[in-house]
Amino acid sequence: MLKLHGDCWVITDAAAGNQRQALALAQRLAMPVRHLQLEPGAPWSWLSPRLTFGALSALSPAQRQQFAPPWPVVAIGCGRMSALYTRLLRRLSDGHGYTVQILDPRIDPAHWDTVIAPRHDQLTGPNVLQPLGSLNPVDDAWLQDGRDADPGFAELPRPRVGVLLGGPRTGVVFDEGYVTRLADRLLARQREEGGSLLVLASRRTPRSLMTMLRQRLSGMHGLIWSGQDDGSNPYPGVLGWADRLVVTPDSVNMLSEACAVGCPVQTFVIGTLPTKLERFHRALRDAGRLHDLDATIFPSVAPLRETAAIAAMLRERVAERQLQR
């Protein structure tokens, strides 16, 4: 592995999905990592990353103290808010800092050294990398850590079916009717084949829907986790022990992480999906990685693990930049 010298900054807003992607990539670079959560006030929050004038004054005093020299060797941002500050760093560091932006920044990618945008964004350019899914930390070691953290899951009847719930988003049906139909389908399948259900809410899952789901699934083998009141989040353990995963269709991040595990992945869709999300689903299906909820035959495919390969490419590019200085 190429050894890089200096620090790496991860710049995000408060969104957990953005933080997860950026930190997963940064940790693969094997550099000291510092995480900055930057959230500018209006109008920069509305116009990021286009409006750069005055962007430093848009930060709170505490955030301005963090976003100050010495500048990092590498800066990785994820999300529109962070794109404003990774864009600024190029100028502030006189080009010495290597800037990486994850997700489509909605302006010319040439403002950054590397842009990483999933294929369904259809963003192109000489400095654009296009993974199929989102970046994440899931690999064999991460899954083993999950199994070690929750060894009791090994005693649950198989097949152990992990159910990952997202939440409502524009253009995706995720309401009482959806959750009722999903629960009924899961219970019917469990009656046929036995096993257990490991149902996990996310931050975006409405509490009212989880209450309804608990009632619907009462008495089934397994667990339902809807938040810290149920104990620590068993998400890594569920992925580590799952024989099959069912993921709601709304989250690119959750679908990508499920496909990184190596077990079959299913989803349940009512109606149509937004155009970009549909492109992502179609790419996963065409690759044999995603299946309907009633599927029983699953082709063997390698886990979808793209983060390590992208990190290796970045290390080469950053090392080349350091040699030129």
Side-chain angles (χ1 to χ4, degrees), residues 4-282:
L4 300 179
H5 304 287
D7 293 340
C8 174
W9 283 8
V10 167
I11 303 175
T12 69
D13 54 15
N18 290 342
Q19 293 182 10
R20 193 164 178 82
Q21 289 203 65
L23 287 167
L25 180 59
Q27 287 158 5
R28 292 277 185 175
L29 296 181
M31 304 172 71
V33 175
R34 182 180 172 205
H35 183 195
L36 284 64
Q37 187 173 305
L38 303 182
E39 297 178 285
W44 293 268
S45 58
W46 306 333
L47 301 174
S48 178
R50 289 177 171 81
L51 179 61
T52 58
F53 180 77
L56 294 180
S57 62
L59 297 173
S60 69
Q63 291 175 357
R64 281 201 300 274
Q65 274 193 324
Q66 294 179 42
F67 191 78
W71 305 116
V73 169
V74 180
I76 299 173
C78 186
R80 190 170 55 82
M81 295 294 182
S82 71
L84 173 58
Y85 295 97
T86 50
R87 179 185 177 184
L88 277 179
L89 267 173
R90 227 174 168 192
R91 172 172 57 81
L92 292 171
S93 68
D94 293 325
H96 291 278
Y98 194 98
T99 55
V100 181
Q101 187 60 34
I102 303 170
L103 301 180
D104 184 355
R106 310 290 179 85
I107 62 174
D108 188 347
H111 289 294
W112 294 267
D113 292 299
T114 294
V115 172
I116 303 166
R119 216 168 294 167
H120 59 270
D121 276 351
Q122 297 186 329
L123 181 69
T124 59
N127 65 327
V128 176
L129 302 179
Q130 295 179 301
L132 173 56
S134 61
L135 306 182
N136 61 75
V138 179
D139 59 14
D140 289 341
W142 188 91
L143 293 169
Q144 185 59 54
D145 286 344
R147 288 190 288 271
D148 292 343
D150 285 296
F153 289 167
E155 306 303 318
L156 290 171
R158 302 183 72 172
R160 294 181 288 262
V161 180
V163 182
L164 311 182
L165 303 172
R169 62 174 284 185
T170 303
V172 179
V173 176
F174 197 110
D175 54 18
E176 284 192 14
Y178 175 87
V179 170
T180 298
R181 290 173 63 179
L182 174 63
D184 289 348
R185 298 276 289 273
L186 291 170
L187 283 173
R189 182 76 172 260
Q190 189 184 49
R191 282 193 293 268
E192 291 175 8
E193 64 182 10
S196 50
L197 295 174
L198 306 170
V199 182
L200 302 181
S202 68
R203 296 183 186 183
R204 298 186 300 108
T205 311
R207 187 173 293 272
S208 60
L209 295 185
M210 287 305 299
T211 299
M212 190 189 74
L213 191 65
R214 268 185 201 281
Q215 295 169 349
R216 205 84 183 178
L217 297 179
S218 62
M220 60 86 183
H221 285 294
L223 69 85
I224 297 177
W225 186 90
S226 58
Q228 295 304 317
D229 289 345
D230 296 322
S232 59
N233 191 342
Y235 178 76
V238 169
L239 266 61
W241 287 108
D243 297 303
R244 192 167 74 243
L245 288 164
V246 175
V247 187
T248 57
D250 52 284
S251 172
V252 171
N253 283 359
M254 287 199 311
L255 284 164
S256 298
E257 295 197 9
C259 288
V261 171
C263 67
V265 180
Q266 298 170 282
T267 194
F268 177 52
V269 181
I270 294 179
T272 59
L273 297 173
T275 301
K276 285 207 301 184
L277 187 58
E278 171 59 32
R279 281 200 297 264
F280 176 59
H281 276 243
R282 178 53 50 198

